[in-house]
């Protein structure tokens, strides 16, 4: 079963170009992220607006139907910034779980928003704070909660 979702949140004017790769997110991640983005403290931040735009263009599937190799929340992934040839090893997390020293990157960070929903081999152009361009390619997903059957994270 395939669902297209439009979050009803404001579209981003700060999002990356319209040649974005298709993304897939779980209905569970979507519900939690929409609740997070409804917070008055976050709703007008550029990072929240960019994440909202990503959610609005995502294909939404039940957690049990998320294919392996898709970056979801709490996934452990390897990616590379192709413009700088910089590898990154990280876990995508909610903002309150972020810890850069432990490689736990918030979904509201530019790298986190860019990676959400990508599949192994996909790349996305994105902007870091200050406007520095990123071209992130997912090279591996070492752990994905949905593929591991962990639906209650």
């Amino acid at each position: 079963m395939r669902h297209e979702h439009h979050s009803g949140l404001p579209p981003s004017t700060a999002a990356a170009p319209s040649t974005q790769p298709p993304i897939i997110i779980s209905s569970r991640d979507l519900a939690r992220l929409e609740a997070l983005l409804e917070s008055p403290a976050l709703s007008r931040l550029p990072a929240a607006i960019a994440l909202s735009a990503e959610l609005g263009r995502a294909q939404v599937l039940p957690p049990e139907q998320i294919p392996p190799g898709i970056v979801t929340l709490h996934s452990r992934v390897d990616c590379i910034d192709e413009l700088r040839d910089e590898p990154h090893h990280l876990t995508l997390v909610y903002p309150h779980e972020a810890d850069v020293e432990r490689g736990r990157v918030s979904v509201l960070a530019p790298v986190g928003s860019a990676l959400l929903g990508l599949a192994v081999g996909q790349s996305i152009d994105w902007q870091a704070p200050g406007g520095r361009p990123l071209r992130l390619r997912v090279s591996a997903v070492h752990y994905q909660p949905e593929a591991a059957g962990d639906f209650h994270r």
Side-chain angles (χ1 to χ4, degrees):
M1 175 162 31
R2 180 184 160 136
H3 300 284
E4 295 297 326
H5 172 77
H6 298 286
S7 70
L9 296 170
S12 172
T13 56
S18 61
T19 58
Q20 302 289 11
I23 60 172
I24 298 172
I25 63 170
S26 78
S27 55
R28 180 180 305 266
D29 285 351
L30 175 68
R32 290 178 177 174
L33 290 170
E34 284 185 328
L36 176 77
L37 292 173
E38 288 174 1
S39 159
L42 292 178
S43 64
R44 302 227 182 271
L45 294 176
I49 293 168
L51 178 58
S52 175
E54 287 296 278
L55 297 178
R57 70 182 194 83
Q59 177 187 353
V60 180
L61 296 174
E64 312 76 45
Q65 294 180 17
I66 298 292
I70 300 291
V71 180
T72 62
L73 280 152
H74 296 117
S75 291
R76 285 193 308 268
V77 304
D78 289 344
C79 62
I80 187 162
D81 178 351
E82 295 180 325
L83 300 179
R84 290 184 164 60
D85 199 30
E86 292 175 354
H88 301 276
H89 312 283
L90 55 90
T91 301
L92 186 61
V93 298
Y94 293 98
H96 70 278
E97 300 168 320
D99 182 345
V100 174
E101 290 182 10
R102 294 180 49 214
R104 298 173 63 85
V105 175
S106 170
V107 69
L108 284 177
V111 168
S113 294
L115 290 174
L116 180 66
L118 290 181
V120 171
Q122 282 184 311
S123 295
I124 189 167
D125 291 319
W126 205 255
Q127 286 191 349
R132 179 175 69 89
L134 300 169
R135 178 170 297 137
L136 297 173
R137 180 176 45 83
V138 178
S139 53
V141 175
H142 297 289
Y143 168 78
Q144 180 210 71
E146 293 80 2
D150 185 5
F151 301 116
H152 303 289
R153 56 188 161 77

